[in-house]
Amino acid sequence: GRADPTSSAEFQFVGQVLGVPHAPGFPQYVMLNYLWTRLPLAGDLAFRVNLLSVVCSLVAGGFFFALARSVTNSELAAMLSTWAVLLSRTIWTISTEAGVHALNLAYVSAFLFLGYAWFSTRKPAWLVALLLTYGLSFGNDTSMMVLLPALAFLLWRAHPGSFLSLRWALVVVAA
């Protein structure tokens, strides 16, 4: 399988042994990697784990496409922008080697889509999905913390008067 000179090889086998990669440990990725390696897929272990990154990037592409279609109201624009993102050098690289970045990309894309869906409709189900996804993303990589100001701004922008109310605090804590 494809391996970069840093940690890709480590991530290619860590799920097989349920090991702990370098800090912070990435427990969600390790468990997903473990389950993925149990699927009856062809190829050696490295190839199959690299395939997990491909699938995570495709999930990210699906969320990005849904977001772009919602924003532009054009399937063609959404398709072209999604392909432009997925075929960029950085995304292509993280999509073809084992590591936590493709799963993180899926979480970021889901965050963006769910945030837009909630903000544009104000349906509580979208907000719950957004907060649940954001919370789950920390099991993969704590770098998702950089999206916290965006989340706070989105919540404040949607309901500036009630942002600090008890109801909002309970919704955030419950999610």
Side-chain angles (χ1 to χ4, degrees), residues 54-136:
V54 171
V55 170
C56 288
S57 292
L58 289 174
V59 169
F63 279 114
F64 188 84
F65 176 83
L67 173 64
R69 188 180 56 201
S70 296
V71 170
T72 65
N73 290 323
S74 167
E75 294 214 4
L76 178 62
M79 182 183 67
L80 292 174
S81 62
T82 300
W83 280 110
V85 168
L86 290 179
L87 295 176
S88 69
R89 177 176 289 192
T90 301
I91 303 303
W92 185 267
T93 300
I94 68 171
S95 300
T96 56
E97 60 191 28
V100 299
H101 303 296
L103 180 56
N104 206 48
L105 178 65
Y107 275 123
V108 169
S109 297
F111 177 88
L112 294 172
F113 169 73
L114 294 168
Y116 181 82
W118 174 70
F119 191 78
S120 61
T121 65
R122 302 298 205 281
K123 291 183 179 178
W126 287 117
L127 178 60
V128 170
L130 171 65
L131 295 175
L132 182 63
T133 300
Y134 186 62
L136 285 173

Side-chain angles (χ1 to χ4, degrees), residues 3 11 23 26 31 35 45 61 66 69 75 80 90 100 103 118 121 125 127 130 137-138 143 157 164 170:
F11 285 115
F26 312 104
M31 291 305 299
L35 294 172
L45 178 65
R69 188 180 56 201
E75 294 214 4
L80 292 174
T90 301
V100 299
L103 180 56
W118 174 70
T121 65
L127 178 60
L130 171 65
S137 71
F138 284 95
S143 69
R157 187 74 175 98
L164 298 177
L170 291 175

